[in-house]
Amino acid sequence: MYPKPMTKTVEQAITLREFIATLGEHTLYAYDRRVVGVIVNDKKLWDSAKLKPGDKVTIFPIIVGG
């Protein structure tokens, strides 16, 4: 199941991957399978990027057609 589009605010210093893991097992699985997009403050970052308190993380499903 795809997670719903959401925007979350970072509350403590953490890496992007760790932050996504705090959102739940299903969200982390979808992220690992690359079926959701993640942007931080309107930028695409690596999994290991350090997030700061106040950063805005937006997660959205990637829609494809064929």
Side-chain angles (χ1 to χ4, degrees):
M1 175 135 207
Y2 297 108
K4 293 187 252 181
M6 64 179 102
T7 299
K8 300 281 187 176
T9 302
V10 177
E11 295 183 9
Q12 62 182 0
I14 193 169
T15 66
L16 179 57
R17 180 164 179 78
E18 291 169 342
F19 181 78
I20 292 170
T22 66
L23 300 176
E25 192 175 310
H26 296 292
T27 304
L28 182 59
Y29 179 76
Y31 179 72
D32 287 341
R33 301 291 294 167
R34 303 290 187 228
V35 295
V36 294
V38 177
I39 55 174
V40 180
N41 299 329
D42 298 322
K43 295 179 186 171
K44 186 167 174 31
L45 300 178
W46 292 99
D47 293 350
S48 59
K50 306 266 187 201
L51 305 181
K52 299 176 286 197
D55 285 345
K56 301 281 187 201
V57 179
T58 303
I59 299 172
F60 53 92
I62 297 174
I63 307 300
V64 296

